[in-house]
Amino acid sequence: MGKKRKKRAQLPFRLNIIFFIVFLLFSVLILQLGVVQILNGEDFQEEIDRTIQDTTSVPVPRGKIYDSNLDLVVDNEPVYSITYTPPKGVTAEKRLEVAEQLAQYITMSEDSVEDITERNRKEYFYLKQSDEEVDELESQIPAEEAADMDNGEFYNVVLDQIPEEAISNLSDEQKQVIAIKKELDQAYSLTPHVVKNEGVTMEEYARVAENLDKLPGVNATTDWNRAYPYEDSTFNQLLGSITSRDQGIPAELEEYYLTRGYSRNDRVGTSGLEEQYENALRGRKEQIQYTTDQNGNIMNTETVVEGQRGKDLVLTIDMEFQQQVDQIVQEELAAAIADDPYGNRHLQDAMAVVMDPQTGELLAVSGQTYDREDDEFDSGALKTLYDAHRPGSVIKGATVLAGYQSGVIRPGQSFYDEPLMLANGQVKASLVNHGWVNDYEALQVSSNVYMYYIAMRMGGETRHPLPERATISFDSSAWQEMRNYFQQFGLGVSTGIDFPFESTGFEGESGVTPGLLMDFAIGQYDTYTTMQLAQYMATIANDGYRVRPHLVKEIRQPVATEGQVGPLYESMNTEVLNRIQMDQDNIERVQEGFRRVFQTPDGTAYSYFEDKDYNPAGKTGTAENDLFIDGEHYETVNLTLAGYAPFDEPEVAFAVLVPNMGDESGRYPINHRIGERIMDAYFDIKEDRDEEAAEE
Amino acid sequence: MSKKQSYYMQTDLIILFILLVCTSLMAIYNAQSMDQYENGGFLWKQAVWFTVGALVVAAMQYFDLDQLYKASIFIYAFGVFLLALLLVSPAAIAEPVNGAKSWFQLPGFTIQPSEFAKISTIVFLSATVSHHKGKHEVNTLKTDSLLLIKLIVITVLPVILIMMQPDFGTAMVYLFIMGMFILLSGIDWKIIGTLILGVAVFLGAMLGLILRFPVLAKDLIGIEQYQINRILTWFNPSQPSSDASWHFDQAFMALGSGQLFGKGLGDLEVYYPEAQTDFIFAVIGESFGFIGSALVIFLYFMLLYKLVTLGLNIYKHSPFGTYLCFGYFSMLFIHAFQNIGMTLGIMPVTGIPLLLISYGGSSVLSTMIGFGLIYRVAVEGTIQNDYLFK
């Protein structure tokens, strides 16, 4: 009985303990529940409410560039591209689905359709089979062989089982799908892959963009390529270039750009006007702020900064005129080479710069480079800024003005032009002996000896005429003085052009004898660029005011409407860099000398400009230029011409520089020909436009 | 209402059942409000399962406990047969999911045999204990040992089959139920003590092996890396980055953010996988707060209490019924404690559902079958009491 009682009691006893433990454990659950929900609940809620904000920048197109007549010089050509970014672990079936969808919207090029391989076709066929059909294919493989193969091998063998005829008669639509799928198969997971980017039409782009929700992983994006309507213009060289999206910002300037709000894949101007006006052209990127919650859901999208296309540039260049100048320079260069192919065997370049002397607006900047190997002409417009040459007599106006200003000559001063024999026996002379010449005549006939006297006098040698083999006293501070005067015209210093780089020319060593300074005085020593010569001539034309030459006239606000320019954002005003120190009276004397060069019978350019009705003035130049090529010595000359018109109210100034002509007499007068034709072209266009305006 | 019908009105069990069903449907409705679960159709499927389950409970009332007792060995054998069949089934009808071959996949629905075998094993364990007690009025060390061995053999057979799927969590549930049977069958403390000591030493050694030498453990006992990861996650709850840990962290955060009153219906803010099944308690916590969650725990406690009292009351009339109650009690308890404990971060992460609340046809149906047994026990208890007091 006792045992029985014990046994009966056992059950409730153990059960009580167990139930008590259950009670305790459930209490622990409730306790922990309290800790998690009541003690820490708020922290968890805060964690959930915490959001992450990301800002994404959407690139905008660069500004366009127009010429002074508002014709497009640089345009943006949209490039549409369809990309595929596969999610992780996407299957071949899914890719086929995407390809089939995509085939409804885009058409692959014939090339890519032709490129599809037999394997591509078989894979497509395999995927299109039902499960039973696949089983049937697989059953053709002996089981004992199949057992030894891994999945890849097995798949290959299954593909081999597909009969040739099954894949030979695919429709065009099916081939399209295969071609698209081939591209999709090449994409790495989470990395965008271009499916089609050449010849994507506006319609294809729009249809894909509209149906993105049906095309997982597919995206339609736009990029821009710079387009140049004036394909052949040499001026395109000055427009510069921009990086591609793949290049992004230049690595060496990474920090510079990053601190200015650029992204690494932004396209930036790296040369020319694209670089110079980067800030205007780049536009303002659209900035979108995404607010995401813990789960990566986008809670809010806010445009923080409205995007704006880059501002447009309006050039000072008149493309109609520029094209004519290009043509003139090229034709004359070709003519000169054809005239004497052997004598002119080192002739390669011809440069011309045309500007408005009063405002500094550059009307045409042209350069042609002859490529002997391919017998064709390349653009050499950059050489007007980069290549400096000895200009010859064209700078004599500066020498005469330096003479007046330093007091070594008076207005009307005469010197006797005959060969001068220096102490070392070297003879320095003009091309012909002019006898007595005053300042006007010295410019008109281009007297070297007159300039030599100015140089010697600045060095302290005042004897006239200079005795034969005289020992000349020379104070070498004259170098500094002379160059200071020249620099006031822009010769030997930066012209201040709105361009990222220009050469200021080569400054020769300041010799201790007067001989080199005498060479300097006739443009046979330091070298100058065509741009510098143009500025020099413009400064004289403009009564001594040196203005900054510039390529951009205005910056315009972007507008959405195609083919229209927006309101003015900034106007590049005429900027006077300095006025030369010389008196107006003295400048007028040089101007008169220049007029005589062009308009009086003894003038060195008279035969080309005698009957022009636009009243031109200017100066010719011929500089000896010894070339050393592979140790061989060749004597060539640089031919220059600079001038302006009309004489009394100058509106156009120009400089022409043709280095390394053959040194034969009776050479082709390329400098005169280019100068003459440029000025004719300028005034012809002007006349035409005036007539057009009058008719309207 | 006739007398006979009133026996079948077990009001307290029905009320508890209805409350749990309501909780389940509300929680699943809320889990479905997460975008990721939209169109899962879990709510109406669960409702269908509950309805089918209720019909099964009603149908089961046509059998009395004696019939069940006699059929118990066949029921058990059928359960074991299903488990064995699963292992040898081709992938076409038993595709492994997440590396575990635990489901028959039939057109339209899936069946998890280990859920049903749980009930059949409980039935046979109960029958075995009551049969043993009827046979050996006096228990000696020898009879106790014999019973112990019987219980172990009965349980270990399905456990081995389940371990082979492999489904570690469910196997542990079986072992826990076995342990409870051993305790409640009145086996002498000395034997139990020895057993506990042995098992403790064994488990300790295993755990040490797994934690210290995971590579060796994989070779020796065939434990899988994900299982090791779960155990590691349990020991280092703060260690981030592992998948299991991330899922848990999300669910834990959701639960905590419910605070005192919860966010109400349809306002969940955090996504985590398995919200409608294993992490259903996190949904309850987020939706109904501390008060709601504590009520659910209390609901379970009430059900467990009801089972204990029911079991004690029926003992004189039917020890078999008593042990059915205790077996069901053990099963409900271990599922509830493990699942809620896991969500609260005090138990390791296993794929064990919260019975009667988590979404899942097999788990709902098998639990309902168990509930049907208990209901029959309650009915018979009421009838007995009627006889006694008449």
Side-chain angles (χ1 to χ4, degrees):
Chain A
M1 199 55 199
K3 266 190 184 170
K4 259 195 179 175
R5 189 172 293 126
K6 189 188 162 199
K7 191 187 135 207
R8 279 221 181 101
Q10 227 173 33
L11 190 63
F13 175 68
R14 289 192 181 178
L15 201 62
N16 281 342
I17 290 179
I18 286 171
F19 197 70
F20 182 65
I21 291 172
V22 166
F23 173 76
L24 281 184
L25 287 175
F26 271 46
S27 307
V28 168
L29 287 184
I30 302 237
L31 195 68
Q32 171 74 355
L33 194 65
V35 170
V36 173
Q37 292 194 300
I38 298 171
L39 279 182
N40 302 329
E42 272 181 56
D43 295 343
F44 284 119
Q45 189 58 47
E46 273 172 27
E47 173 84 359
I48 290 169
D49 293 341
R50 203 183 69 205
T51 55
I52 303 154
Q53 295 187 327
D54 290 308
T55 307
T56 305
S57 299
V58 181
V60 292
R62 276 177 91 76
K64 302 173 181 182
I65 301 179
Y66 296 90
D67 83 340
S68 59
N69 300 318
L70 302 183
D71 285 332
L72 261 179
V73 178
V74 180
D75 199 359
N76 289 320
E77 201 174 58
V79 179
Y80 300 110
S81 133
I82 310 292
T83 62
Y84 178 61
T85 312
K88 276 185 179 163
V90 67
T91 59
E93 285 85 357
K94 285 273 177 234
R95 285 199 297 268
L96 180 62
E97 275 174 36
V98 172
E100 282 174 340
Q101 278 285 334
L102 201 51
Q104 298 173 21
Y105 309 125
I106 66 171
T107 311
M108 298 300 278
S109 71
E110 281 177 23
D111 283 350
S112 51
V113 171
E114 272 169 30
D115 282 350
I116 58 179
T117 61
E118 190 184 307
R119 186 179 171 90
N120 295 145
R121 290 160 183 256
K122 284 187 171 175
E123 281 179 341
Y124 172 77
F125 180 82
Y126 178 83
L127 285 173
K128 293 303 275 184
Q129 300 302 296
S130 68
D131 286 349
E132 293 84 49
E133 285 165 324
V134 169
D135 286 344
E136 201 189 309
L137 275 177
E138 288 175 353
S139 66
Q140 293 170 22
I141 303 165
E144 58 271 23
E145 278 180 36
D148 291 339
M149 290 185 248
D150 64 27
N151 285 343
E153 288 168 348
F154 186 69
Y155 178 62
N156 285 336
V157 176
V158 171
L159 287 189
D160 286 342
Q161 299 293 322
I162 296 173
E164 205 55 47
E165 59 271 19
I167 55 162
S168 54
N169 282 322
L170 294 173
S171 70
D172 286 347
E173 287 81 30
Q174 286 172 317
K175 284 180 188 164
Q176 282 287 332
V177 171
I178 297 171
I180 293 172
K181 181 170 172 291
K182 188 184 172 190
E183 288 294 337
L184 303 189
D185 290 345
Q186 286 168 14
Y188 293 106
S189 92
L190 301 181
T191 312
H193 175 85
V194 172
V195 178
K196 183 181 180 186
N197 68 349
E198 271 173 34
V200 177
T201 64
M202 182 72 201
E203 193 194 349
E204 286 179 327
Y205 173 81
R207 291 179 69 184
V208 172
E210 232 167 67
N211 292 292
L212 286 181
D213 55 325
K214 295 178 202 155
L215 299 162
V218 173
N219 203 358
T221 59
T222 32
D223 194 1
W224 296 268
N225 273 351
R226 290 304 233 182
Y228 303 93
Y230 292 94
E231 283 175 31
D232 302 325
S233 173
T234 66
F235 185 77
N236 288 350
Q237 224 182 17
L238 297 182
L239 294 170
S241 54
I242 57 173
T243 59
S244 69
R245 179 130 305 172
D246 292 338
Q247 290 163 332
I249 56 176
E252 67 275 12
L253 293 172
E254 192 176 275
E255 281 196 9
Y256 170 87
Y257 283 113
L258 288 180
T259 52
R260 281 160 181 77
Y262 284 81
S263 317
R264 277 169 212 283
N265 63 350
D266 278 347
R267 309 180 66 174
V268 296
T270 48
S271 63
L273 292 178
E274 297 273 18
E275 181 185 358
Q276 183 77 22
Y277 288 97
E278 172 66 23
N279 276 341
L281 289 169
R282 67 183 279 205
R284 193 173 55 205
K285 283 195 281 186
E286 182 167 80
Q287 295 197 348
I288 301 172
Q289 191 174 61
Y290 294 102
T291 308
T292 48
D293 65 7
Q294 279 291 305
N295 298 322
N297 300 320
I298 294 170
M299 317 278 290
N300 187 24
T301 320
E302 192 188 353
T303 305
V304 191
V305 178
E306 286 280 356
Q308 194 183 51
R309 184 168 72 76
K311 299 183 187 73
D312 298 334
L313 302 184
V314 177
L315 298 177
T316 58
I317 300 289
D318 177 340
M319 284 311 282
E320 186 186 355
F321 180 52
Q322 168 79 33
Q323 281 191 303
Q324 292 196 15
V325 173
D326 280 340
Q327 198 184 346
I328 291 165
V329 174
Q330 185 182 326
E331 282 173 8
E332 293 301 329
L333 184 58
I337 291 167
D339 180 63
D340 184 0
Y342 181 74
N344 288 330
R345 62 194 179 281
H346 299 299
L347 173 62
Q348 184 178 317
D349 299 321
M351 283 86 77
V353 171
V354 185
M355 66 189 279
D356 180 334
Q358 299 182 27
T359 61
E361 290 180 1
L362 290 158
L363 306 176
V365 179
S366 177
Q368 297 281 1
T369 294
Y370 180 60
D371 182 341
R372 281 199 162 67
E373 274 177 26
D374 298 340
D375 186 27
E376 60 182 26
F377 291 92
D378 298 332
S379 171
L382 271 178
K383 294 188 173 184
T384 60
L385 288 162
Y386 283 30
D387 278 14
H389 298 277
R390 287 180 179 162
S393 312
V394 75
I395 51 81
K396 279 176 180 165
T399 310
V400 171
L401 279 166
Y404 296 138
Q405 186 62 25
S406 61
V408 297
I409 57 167
R410 290 165 286 104
Q413 173 91 41
S414 292
F415 290 115
Y416 193 73
D417 183 335
E418 60 176 354
L420 305 176
M421 185 176 281
L422 304 185
N424 57 6
Q426 193 191 353
V427 176
K428 287 190 158 307
S430 299
L431 198 62
V432 292
N433 299 332
H434 297 294
W436 282 101
V437 285
N438 65 11
D439 44 0
Y440 288 145
E441 290 153 352
L443 292 170
Q444 180 190 21
V445 300
S446 200
S447 165
N448 289 346
V449 175
Y450 195 93
M451 306 302 144
Y452 295 154
Y453 276 110
I454 293 175
M456 285 189 290
R457 287 189 167 202
M458 284 174 76
E461 174 57 65
T462 54
R463 282 177 286 178
H464 177 258
L466 186 73
E468 224 169 77
R469 289 185 183 274
T471 307
I472 304 168
S473 58
F474 182 67
D475 177 0
S476 58
S477 68
W479 278 106
Q480 195 56 54
E481 194 183 359
M482 187 70 105
R483 283 201 174 116
N484 281 347
Y485 289 130
F486 270 55
Q487 285 173 3
Q488 293 181 22
F489 298 92
L491 295 170
V493 291
S494 163
T495 62
I497 188 176
D498 51 348
F499 205 76
F501 176 80
E502 66 168 320
S503 162
T504 55
F506 177 75
E507 197 171 279
E509 210 174 304
S510 309
V512 289
T513 60
L516 293 176
L517 188 63
M518 288 156 79
D519 291 341
F520 181 94
I522 61 165
Q524 284 281 12
Y525 198 61
D526 283 2
T527 66
Y528 307 113
T529 64
T530 319
M531 189 60 67
Q532 285 175 320
L533 294 178
Q535 188 178 43
Y536 147 79
M537 186 49 68
T539 306
I540 289 173
N542 199 26
D543 293 341
Y545 290 95
R546 183 167 78 105
V547 295
R548 191 168 74 91
H550 55 104
L551 292 162
V552 172
K553 185 158 73 174
E554 291 162 355
I555 298 176
R556 298 278 192 145
Q557 297 277 12
V559 279
T561 338
E562 196 72 21
Q564 273 188 18
V565 286
L568 189 66
Y569 172 74
E570 190 185 343
S571 186
M572 306 298 159
N573 295 323
T574 303
E575 189 183 337
V576 177
L577 296 169
N578 59 281
R579 185 182 187 285
I580 57 176
Q581 292 171 304
M582 297 79 183
D583 291 341
Q584 177 65 18
D585 291 349
N586 295 342
I587 295 169
E588 280 172 10
R589 289 192 76 84
V590 171
Q591 289 173 343
E592 172 57 20
F594 281 180
R595 191 189 66 79
R596 293 186 185 189
V597 173
F598 274 48
Q599 295 190 31
T600 57
D602 284 341
T604 50
Y606 177 67
S607 52
Y608 303 95
F609 291 95
E610 55 179 317
D611 53 359
K612 305 297 181 196
D613 52 10
Y614 44 76
N615 200 3
K619 184 74 192 77
T620 59
T622 309
E624 289 167 11
N625 196 30
D626 294 349
L627 270 186
F628 295 91
I629 301 170
D630 297 333
E632 292 282 315
H633 177 212
Y634 302 97
E635 290 184 344
T636 67
V637 293
N638 299 339
L639 295 184
T640 53
L641 180 73
Y644 60 91
F647 176 69
D648 12 287
E649 194 60 40
E651 58 176 74
V652 56
F654 70 94
V656 176
L657 202 167
V658 184
N660 304 326
M661 283 285 285
D663 191 18
E664 283 82 20
S665 59
R667 69 178 84 86
Y668 186 80
I670 186 172
N671 50 343
H672 295 103
R673 298 276 300 148
I674 293 176
E676 180 197 358
R677 290 183 63 190
I678 287 177
M679 293 306 270
D680 287 355
Y682 175 83
F683 285 102
D684 282 349
I685 290 175
K686 190 185 170 192
E687 201 175 324
D688 288 351
R689 289 198 183 144
D690 286 348
E691 276 171 23
E692 269 174 42
E695 279 168 25
E696 276 167 22
Chain B
M1 189 187 280
S2 74
K3 194 81 195 169
K4 190 181 177 214
Q5 272 172 323
S6 74
Y7 295 143
Y8 293 98
M9 268 314 285
Q10 296 298 323
T11 324
D12 40 5
L13 277 180
I14 290 172
I15 289 173
L16 282 171
F17 172 70
I18 287 173
L19 286 175
L20 282 166
V21 167
C22 290
T23 311
S24 171
L25 294 180
M26 278 196 290
I28 288 169
Y29 169 80
N30 242 13
Q32 239 169 274
S33 74
M34 290 184 192
D35 293 344
Q36 287 84 347
Y37 293 121
E38 245 173 5
N39 308 323
F42 299 130
L43 183 65
W44 75 265
K45 280 189 198 163
Q46 181 82 340
V48 167
W49 286 120
F50 274 128
T51 314
V52 171
L55 292 175
V56 169
V57 171
M60 284 172 68
Q61 304 315 311
Y62 288 100
F63 304 95
D64 62 29
L65 288 178
D66 274 349
Q67 289 168 312
L68 206 63
Y69 175 80
K70 283 167 191 152
S72 64
I73 181 140
F74 303 109
I75 294 171
Y76 170 75
F78 183 65
V80 173
F81 168 73
L82 279 183
L83 286 173
L85 186 67
L86 177 70
L87 287 178
V88 298
S89 290
I93 56 161
E95 178 95 23
V97 177
N98 297 332
K101 197 179 181 185
S102 305
W103 293 269
F104 282 119
Q105 275 152 343
L106 303 174
F109 62 102
T110 62
I111 293 175
Q112 190 179 359
S114 58
E115 289 293 332
F116 293 96
K118 225 181 299 183
I119 300 297
S120 65
T121 306
I122 287 172
V123 170
F124 191 49
L125 284 173
S126 307
T128 307
V129 174
S130 56
H131 174 76
H132 182 89
K133 286 198 174 286
K135 217 165 126 185
H136 307 279
E137 289 256 326
V138 182
N139 42 347
T140 60
L141 273 184
K142 194 181 154 201
T143 60
D144 278 0
S145 303
L146 186 68
L147 180 60
L148 180 68
I149 289 163
K150 279 188 204 163
L151 294 180
I152 289 176
V153 168
I154 291 166
T155 319
V156 162
L157 189 58
V159 163
I160 288 170
L161 291 172
I162 290 166
M163 285 294 244
M164 282 165 72
Q165 293 178 354
D167 184 352
F168 186 71
T170 308
M172 283 298 122
V173 170
Y174 278 72
L175 292 179
F176 176 82
I177 293 169
M178 176 188 80
M180 291 292 272
F181 268 98
I182 293 170
L183 272 178
L184 292 172
S185 62
I187 292 173
D188 199 289
W189 275 115
K190 286 171 213 153
I191 298 174
I192 294 174
T194 318
L195 189 70
I196 289 175
L197 199 68
V199 169
V201 168
F202 176 73
L203 282 183
M206 292 279 273
L207 213 57
L209 183 72
I210 289 164
L211 294 179
R212 284 268 176 137
F213 311 103
V215 181
L216 190 66
K218 271 192 266 186
D219 285 347
L220 285 182
I221 49 176
I223 191 166
E224 299 288 337
Q225 183 61 47
Y226 79 95
Q227 293 167 324
I228 296 179
N229 286 349
R230 283 177 178 182
I231 294 170
L232 290 177
T233 305
W234 186 38
F235 279 97
N236 286 319
S238 63
Q239 199 176 38
S241 89
S242 87
D243 239 20
S245 181
W246 184 82
H247 292 166
F248 167 74
D249 287 346
Q250 292 295 104
F252 193 60
M253 185 166 75
L255 173 81
S257 71
Q259 299 186 48
L260 190 57
F261 299 106
K263 299 173 189 170
L265 279 177
D267 248 344
L268 298 191
E269 294 180 294
V270 189
Y271 166 75
Y272 39 93
E274 305 296 338
Q276 82 283 22
T277 56
D278 296 348
F279 281 113
I280 192 84
F281 195 73
V283 176
I284 295 171
E286 189 178 359
S287 308
F288 310 117
F290 174 80
I291 292 176
S293 316
L295 269 175
V296 171
I297 294 175
F298 182 70
L299 204 56
Y300 266 105
F301 187 75
M302 287 307 291
L303 183 56
L304 292 178
Y305 175 74
K306 175 71 194 164
L307 289 173
V308 170
T309 50
L310 189 60
L312 283 176
N313 283 342
I314 200 79
Y315 190 74
K316 261 184 273 170
H317 166 65
S318 165
F320 175 60
T322 306
Y323 283 101
L324 277 180
C325 288
F326 293 167
Y328 196 66
F329 166 91
S330 312
M331 181 177 91
L332 276 189
F333 166 73
I334 191 62
H335 271 267
F337 182 72
Q338 160 58 32
N339 181 284
I340 297 173
M342 162 187 90
T343 314
L344 286 172
I346 55 176
M347 292 296 279
V349 177
T350 53
I352 287 181
L354 188 55
L355 291 182
L356 290 171
I357 292 184
S358 284
Y359 170 80
S362 296
S363 115
V364 166
L365 208 54
S366 68
T367 314
M368 291 292 282
I369 291 170
F371 189 78
L373 298 176
I374 300 310
Y375 201 89
R376 180 68 210 172
V377 173
V379 169
E380 293 199 10
T382 317
I383 294 169
Q384 285 305 318
N385 280 343
D386 249 22
Y387 290 153
L388 279 178
F389 296 107
K390 260 205 172 143

